[in-house]
Amino acid sequence: MSKTNETVRVELAERSYDIRIGENNLAEAGSFLLEQGRATHAVVLTDSHVEEPHAHKVAESLAAQDVNVDMIVVEPGEPSKSIEAAAGLWDAVLEMGADRRSVVVAVGGGVIGDLAGFIAATYARGIRFFQVPTSLLAQVDSSVGGKVGINLPKAKNMVGAFLQPIGVLIDTRTLDTLDSREYRAGMAEVVKYGVILDAALFEQLEAEVGRINAGDHDLLRGVIAQCCRLKADVVRQDERETTGLRAVLNYGHTFGHAFEALAGYGQLLHGEGVAIGMLCASRLAERLGRIDSELTDRQERLLTAVGLPTEVPDVDPDLVLKKMMHDKKVEHGRLRFVLPSRLGHVELVGDVEPQDVLASLKR
Ligand SMILES: NC(=O)c1ccc[n+]([C@@H]2O[C@H](COP(=O)([O-])OP(=O)(O)OC[C@H]3O[C@@H](n4cnc5c(N)ncnc54)[C@H](O)[C@@H]3O)[C@@H](O)[C@H]2O)c1
Ligand SMILES: [Zn+2]
């Protein structure tokens, strides 16, 4: 095993498993997977941005362990998380002779992880699932927590399941080929963890902006491991999203989702919307007397330093409000927000007045 690996143990009622984080460790994928149990057949699902070289390295490492490997390459992007794509994959996996000894291996970003996990959860009433997340967002967020699924034409992530993987392998070197804008967008979720749960992480990010922007692997390994630990801990306490605790992970997302949707398709990446959304939520917390402006300023300085946008896009404020009313965090027509009360701590705040929301869109 590579000396640089760090392991995060995810302890859940349904299943416990390890996330292994290191540098240049894709060649260990096969042996790591087999440590979790016997497997004779693997279906590697990837997209055409990730296939070469990452998915091939994973496939080779599985073949080296005498696992029979099939690979399926889908189009990159959100449209692949569709009913049509899933239907094609069920047929393809059947054609490959997949059975209960097979494992679905996701090598890619959140789209591939969610789609592959959904196929694993449903094919033959559920087969095993292993993940190799390759985008920063997938490494710190979507590969932890067991939510898998696809989109309906009118509703994102509306059909899916909870399925924990048998293991997760993260190679920080895969980030070297990731588009830098996607990398920065993933960093918004990292900053989010600092604000909601971990002041020391936030301070580390402030102190290490240079290494973050340079993609320093030693730093990334520790930061990614810490984000996985933080999310795993929240998930452990609210595995099926029943107690509401998991909602803290949505800091900045109510505003962010509205900006993403209203800015026009492809204008704002998810993480970019979240970056702007966190600042709006923080200003809202200021208005409600929960924090002073210094906490908002600190977030803005850090987000700017890692190259994220911080300005609310030019959208109709009333449409933002309307969009939020359709968001999941609305209860009986009342707006609810995850708001900071100090660095490293947030609370779910109900009954927020629309005029306060509108005011926090302005600086
Ligand atoms: N399951 C969950 O808990 C959860 C949480 C958050 C987000 N998500 C889902 O995750 C998806 C977004 O994930 P994402 O941001 O990773 O998007 P993505 O999977 O579309 O990846 C972004 C882009 O980067 C490319 N890419 C990924 N890794 C690469 C690499 N190493 N080198 C070069 N290119 C690479 C992809 O091909 C794609 O073009 C959304 O569908 C969202 O709903 C799920
Ligand atoms: Zn997010």
Side-chain angles (χ1 to χ4, degrees):
M1 197 193 339
S2 146
K3 272 203 285 301
T4 57
N5 278 319
E6 206 168 309
T7 300
V8 174
R9 180 84 183 151
V10 184
E11 306 266 5
L12 300 172
E14 187 186 324
R15 172 200 292 285
S16 296
Y17 63 94
D18 284 340
I19 303 175
R20 182 183 284 182
I21 305 128
E23 182 180 348
N24 275 330
N25 60 4
L26 291 185
E28 295 168 25
S31 55
F32 180 37
L33 189 151
L34 285 178
E35 281 168 31
Q36 318 312 319
R38 222 169 82 83
T40 51
H41 177 219
V43 178
V44 174
L45 186 72
T46 190
D47 73 31
S48 56
H49 290 159
V50 183
E51 175 188 10
E52 201 58 72
H54 311 305
H56 280 289
K57 281 190 192 159
V58 171
E60 277 164 28
S61 82
L62 287 159
Q65 302 288 328
D66 293 329
V67 177
N68 196 347
V69 186
D70 282 303
M71 186 164 344
I72 305 176
V73 184
V74 302
E75 291 285 318
E78 198 65 30
S80 285
K81 261 176 66 174
S82 64
I83 302 168
E84 294 73 24
L89 289 172
W90 284 317
D91 279 336
V93 167
L94 177 69
E95 200 68 25
M96 289 165 177
D99 61 22
R100 308 203 56 79
R101 286 161 301 175
S102 305
V103 183
V104 175
V105 179
V107 186
V111 165
I112 292 298
D114 282 11
L115 176 64
F118 179 66
I119 297 302
T122 49
Y123 180 81
R125 293 189 189 79
I127 62 177
R128 288 171 299 167
F129 174 45
F130 183 88
Q131 273 190 286
V132 184
T134 63
S135 69
L136 183 57
L137 180 128
Q139 294 178 352
V140 300
D141 188 357
S142 64
S143 70
V144 189
K147 283 191 193 173
V148 300
I150 58 172
N151 303 323
L152 293 181
K154 285 184 185 159
K156 223 171 118 51
N157 297 324
M158 196 43 88
V159 174
F162 286 96
L163 176 68
Q164 303 300 340
I166 58 173
V168 178
L169 182 75
I170 295 177
D171 180 355
T172 58
R173 278 278 164 202
T174 59
L175 300 175
D176 290 351
T177 60
L178 183 69
D179 181 80
S180 60
R181 187 174 169 196
E182 294 282 356
Y183 175 78
R184 293 194 297 271
M187 210 39 89
E189 303 282 358
V190 175
V191 171
K192 177 194 80 178
Y193 287 115
V195 179
I196 65 173
L197 292 164
D198 190 345
L201 172 65
F202 190 93
E203 283 157 8
Q204 184 190 12
L205 299 172
E206 287 179 317
E208 303 277 21
V209 163
R211 290 171 80 198
I212 288 170
N213 291 341
D216 181 290
H217 289 274
D218 289 326
L219 181 81
L220 282 172
R221 180 173 59 253
V223 165
I224 292 167
Q226 182 60 7
C227 292
C228 290
R229 241 175 248 122
L230 292 166
K231 180 160 180 187
D233 199 47
V234 171
V235 169
R236 186 176 51 74
Q237 297 173 63
D238 187 13
E239 223 165 291
R240 297 251 166 176
E241 213 159 45
T242 44
T243 68
L245 191 84
R246 227 165 142 146
V248 301
L249 299 167
N250 287 326
Y251 175 55
H253 281 61
T254 305
F255 284 101
H257 284 149
F259 299 148
E260 259 184 278
L262 295 171
Y265 182 77
Q267 287 302 109
L268 274 184
L269 295 178
H270 173 73
E272 294 170 342
V274 169
I276 303 164
M278 288 192 287
L279 295 176
C280 292
S282 193
R283 284 195 289 266
L284 180 56
E286 279 178 48
R287 279 192 74 80
L288 301 179
R290 308 179 70 86
I291 57 166
D292 52 36
S293 61
E294 171 55 18
L295 183 54
T296 312
D297 295 343
R298 263 180 96 174
Q299 292 170 75
E300 179 159 13
R301 280 195 297 275
L302 179 56
L303 292 168
T304 303
V306 298
L308 281 159
T310 56
E311 295 291 334
V312 173
D314 188 18
V315 292
D316 180 351
D318 290 323
L319 287 181
V320 172
L321 210 52
K322 213 171 144 201
K323 202 90 202 159
M324 285 175 171
M325 291 291 194
H326 289 282
D327 201 87
K328 277 185 288 197
K329 280 154 292 296
V330 176
E331 211 163 51
H332 311 300
R334 292 296 197 157
L335 287 163
R336 290 195 297 164
F337 289 87
V338 176
L339 300 180
S341 36
R342 59 174 188 275
L343 187 61
H345 193 81
V346 285
E347 282 166 56
L348 193 58
V349 180
D351 257 349
V352 177
E353 295 297 334
Q355 63 264 31
D356 287 323
V357 176
L358 288 173
S360 48
L361 294 173
K362 303 190 202 94
R363 43 173 79 241

